[in-house]
Amino acid sequence: MNKEFKLINELKDRRTQEKAFKSLLVQYKQPLYWHIRKIVLNHDDADDVLQNTFIKIFKGIKKFKGDSKLYTWMYRIATNEALNFLKLKAKKYFQSSEEMMNSLAINLKEDPYFDGDALQLQLQIFIASLPKKQKLVFQMKYEQNMKFKDISEILGTSVGALKASYHLAVKKIKLEIEKIQTF
Amino acid sequence: MENYKNILVDKKRFKIPEGYFDRFELNNINIKKENPRGFLVPDYYFESIDKQQIFNRIYINKIKFIKKNIYKTLSIAAIFIGFIFITNYFDKISNNINKSDVIDYVDQDFIIIENSEYTEFLDSNDLDYNNLISDNDIENYFIETSLGLENLIFE
């Protein structure tokens, strides 16, 4: 029996649930946090979304049929949670999703939990300005070095479409950064 | 024709080199891939996340959910009870009108009832014949008041 299958069974069993959840948390809290953080940008928001993600994982594990890998299933929950969070936040402040993303990226300058230099800040602003799918693919592929197959499972898009999106995203960002460097 | 068919199914014509898309990197730009983010977390943040924190939050959410449902149920129950109370109250009011109140109401000429309508309301059994004016009473009345014939006809 492979490790993942064993962990899933333990998570579904009431007697072993807590122990298994603890090991799941230890294993995935950091990668999921960074994945969420790159979408929502702000630490407090990321913390909030991370906790909601683990709550959803804990509650939803009984329904997990094992059609996909556990890790891609959890990333899908985290991605959806983060995107929903942003949607609600934009609604709360009467902004469009694009405006919200832009202001979040600009606010990084004042964020005590961001110590990037001007170019890194600019990179975040460019990433924030990308269309949703391109942004997600870029973050998962470039920054987290995920496989296209796994990204495809997480986002529910074909590998071909993802590669095209990634290619476009890289091209746009490269162009924008080159513009800055020529000044 | 055979060659034409072969051209259509020759998918290799549109293949890309292995790992072509993966080669797009931002290596020529001065951003280190090891730490491209510049994002930080508070000290000991990851150590602070434990299962108890998540379970506490699940517990709090459960309480919130139960509270919300209790408030909903209570408000629906209150509306229902209020509705029943109001309908019963008005029913009671309409049943509590005394006979004397009705008589007073009619007597004060708020409504005008014709003689013919009285006959509809009254049953012959309700009439007390013992208290009717007797012939002797009429005779005595005429003697005592000594009314003239003209007045009598007029009255």
Side-chain angles (χ1 to χ4, degrees):
Chain A
M1 190 161 41
N2 76 35
K3 257 186 178 181
E4 190 177 293
F5 187 69
K6 195 182 161 203
L7 182 64
I8 294 165
N9 281 341
E10 281 175 353
L11 281 167
K12 285 182 180 179
D13 190 341
R14 271 181 167 264
R15 289 164 299 177
T16 51
Q17 204 174 40
E18 280 201 28
K19 202 183 156 195
F21 188 68
K22 194 181 169 185
S23 86
L24 184 90
L25 206 62
V26 170
Q27 214 177 327
Y28 287 103
K29 63 185 172 187
Q30 284 209 38
L32 281 179
Y33 171 83
W34 285 117
H35 175 66
I36 293 165
R37 177 77 185 268
K38 273 171 261 159
I39 299 172
V40 299
L41 300 179
N42 173 289
H43 166 71
D44 292 330
D45 293 346
D47 181 41
D48 211 26
V49 175
L50 180 73
Q51 291 194 30
N52 285 340
T53 302
F54 276 113
I55 289 171
K56 287 245 165 104
I57 290 167
F58 184 75
K59 284 182 175 174
I61 195 75
K62 281 171 198 153
K63 289 175 194 164
F64 178 66
K65 289 171 189 167
D67 299 334
S68 58
K69 284 180 217 156
L70 180 66
Y71 124 88
T72 54
W73 178 71
M74 290 197 300
Y75 266 72
R76 193 160 63 228
I77 292 175
T79 310
N80 290 338
E81 276 295 307
L83 292 176
N84 279 341
F85 178 85
L86 287 176
K87 208 189 276 178
L88 288 176
K89 198 171 179 178
K91 212 174 177 184
K92 193 176 164 187
Y93 293 105
F94 305 104
Q95 285 180 319
S96 67
S97 296
E98 292 77 24
E99 285 170 340
M100 167 60 67
M101 276 323 297
N102 202 36
S103 63
L104 281 174
I106 291 167
N107 286 347
L108 280 175
K109 205 160 57 175
E110 314 294 327
D111 195 332
Y113 297 117
F114 182 79
D115 74 341
D117 56 23
L119 194 60
Q120 284 169 331
L121 178 70
Q122 205 57 53
L123 176 68
Q124 292 307 321
I125 294 170
F126 293 146
I127 294 172
S129 70
L130 291 172
K132 195 170 78 183
K133 196 139 272 179
Q134 284 180 24
K135 185 172 66 190
L136 288 170
V137 182
F138 182 80
Q139 281 165 342
M140 288 187 209
K141 185 67 196 165
Y142 178 71
E143 294 190 351
Q144 293 168 266
N145 211 15
M146 279 185 179
K147 288 176 188 165
F148 276 120
K149 202 182 158 224
D150 291 344
I151 302 173
S152 152
E153 269 185 28
I154 293 165
L155 300 181
T157 315
S158 71
V159 173
L162 287 178
K163 283 179 178 178
S165 290
Y166 180 63
H167 173 59
L168 277 172
V170 171
K171 225 173 149 182
K172 278 182 196 171
I173 289 172
K174 213 172 159 181
L175 200 75
E176 291 292 342
I177 291 181
E178 275 169 359
K179 263 189 215 169
I180 295 175
Q181 286 181 333
T182 52
F183 276 112
Chain B
M1 189 66 189
E2 196 65 34
N3 286 339
Y4 177 69
K5 268 185 186 172
N6 284 340
I7 290 167
L8 278 178
V9 293
D10 187 9
K11 289 174 189 166
K12 277 182 184 171
R13 289 193 313 135
F14 296 105
K15 269 201 167 176
I16 52 161
E18 195 74 27
Y20 169 74
F21 285 111
D22 301 340
R23 278 214 303 268
F24 285 100
E25 293 288 349
L26 298 177
N27 289 341
N28 52 344
I29 299 164
N30 291 331
I31 295 171
K32 285 177 189 166
K33 200 175 173 181
E34 297 80 48
N35 185 20
R37 303 178 286 262
F39 289 114
L40 304 169
V41 287
D43 293 339
Y44 309 111
Y45 168 68
F46 290 114
E47 287 81 357
S48 73
I49 302 172
D50 64 346
K51 71 170 177 22
Q52 206 48 48
Q53 196 183 353
I54 307 294
F55 288 152
N56 285 347
R57 198 151 161 167
I58 292 173
Y59 180 70
I60 290 166
N61 284 354
K62 238 182 213 174
I63 289 175
K64 272 185 190 169
F65 178 76
I66 291 168
K67 260 189 180 178
K68 204 178 161 186
N69 274 350
I70 286 174
Y71 288 141
K72 258 188 195 171
T73 316
L74 282 180
S75 42
I76 291 168
I79 292 167
F80 184 68
I81 290 167
F83 177 73
I84 289 175
F85 174 76
I86 289 167
T87 46
N88 277 354
Y89 179 74
F90 282 116
D91 275 355
K92 265 187 189 170
I93 286 176
S94 59
N95 290 336
N96 282 346
I97 299 170
N98 294 326
K99 199 175 176 182
S100 59
D101 293 336
V102 178
I103 293 167
D104 286 346
Y105 183 70
V106 173
D107 283 352
Q108 282 169 17
D109 289 341
F110 287 131
I111 54 167
I112 298 159
I113 299 175
E114 298 294 325
N115 285 345
S116 58
E117 286 172 328
Y118 275 121
T119 56
E120 282 175 24
F121 296 142
L122 293 171
D123 195 321
S124 59
N125 295 329
D126 292 336
L127 294 172
D128 188 0
Y129 295 104
N130 296 326
N131 291 331
L132 285 176
I133 302 167
S134 65
D135 291 342
N136 283 337
D137 291 337
I138 297 168
E139 201 176 320
N140 287 336
Y141 176 76
F142 287 130
I143 293 163
E144 280 168 20
T145 53
S146 58
L147 287 167
L149 188 64
E150 283 174 7
N151 291 333
L152 189 63
I153 291 165
F154 178 72
E155 276 198 10

